[in-house]
């Protein structure tokens, strides 16, 4: 059974207005209306947006980073050994640091190629 008193139809708006006022009073105690509520601001400092890349852009960036690391691993030891040889012993006539570096990098790439080939040949065992 309802706890509301039954009133004639002409006064049916009065209880609704009272209930509405009571509801608004309860909501005012709980907090401000969502419509009147100011926009929430994050306590964290605002992030400055830089450039945004999609997944294809980041894939290109990742590939470039891997390529640079591999190039560094392949090229660094011959560069250092040729510089050391230039400072300590020197080169024969017609040889230079650049030729020594190119020869060293070619040897490293050839060695890596031979190792990959031998791994592929033994993969069937």
């Amino acid at each position: 059974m309802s706890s509301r008193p039954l009133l004639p139809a002409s006064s049916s708006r009065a209880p609704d207005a009272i209930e509405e006022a009571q509801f608004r009073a309860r909501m005012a105690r709980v907090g401000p209306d969502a419509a009147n509520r100011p926009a929430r601001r994050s306590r964290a400092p605002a992030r400055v947006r830089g450039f945004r890349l999609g997944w294809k852009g980041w894939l290109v960036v990742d590939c470039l980073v891997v390529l640079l690391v591999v190039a560094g691993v392949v090229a660094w030891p011959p560069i250092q050994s040729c510089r050391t040889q230039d400072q300590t012993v020197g080169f024969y006539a017609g040889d230079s640091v650049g030729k020594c570096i190119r020869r060293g990098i070619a040897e490293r790439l050839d060695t890596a190629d031979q190792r990959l080939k031998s791994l592929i040949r033994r993969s069937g065992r």
Side-chain angles (χ1 to χ4, degrees):
M1 222 164 151
S2 175
S3 63
R4 280 178 39 181
L6 296 175
L7 297 175
S10 64
S11 65
S12 67
R13 290 187 178 181
D16 288 340
I18 292 172
E19 286 181 19
E20 181 72 23
Q22 289 172 346
F23 174 75
R24 293 210 179 269
R26 282 193 308 268
M27 294 310 291
R29 283 192 303 261
V30 172
D33 261 357
N36 297 334
R37 192 176 293 165
R40 287 186 153 206
R41 293 182 185 241
S42 176
R43 291 185 181 161
R47 259 182 33 185
V48 177
R49 289 274 183 175
F51 63 96
R52 294 182 58 170
L53 293 176
W55 67 271
K56 292 177 186 175
W58 284 114
L59 181 66
V60 169
V61 169
D62 288 342
C63 290
L64 288 174
V65 168
V66 169
L67 184 66
L68 288 173
V69 169
V70 169
V73 167
V74 169
W76 188 254
I79 291 172
Q80 288 301 320
S81 67
C82 290
R83 285 183 179 172
T84 303
Q85 180 182 348
D86 184 35
Q87 291 173 354
T88 56
V89 179
F91 293 106
Y92 293 113
D95 204 6
S96 67
V97 175
K99 285 183 181 178
C100 177
I101 291 172
R102 282 191 294 274
R103 189 172 50 245
I105 291 174
E107 287 173 6
R108 286 183 66 87
L109 289 175
D110 187 47
T111 303
D113 182 52
Q114 293 301 322
R115 287 182 182 175
L116 283 174
K117 285 179 184 177
S118 68
L119 283 173
I120 290 172
R121 286 185 200 126
R122 293 181 187 168
S123 65
R125 291 185 186 180

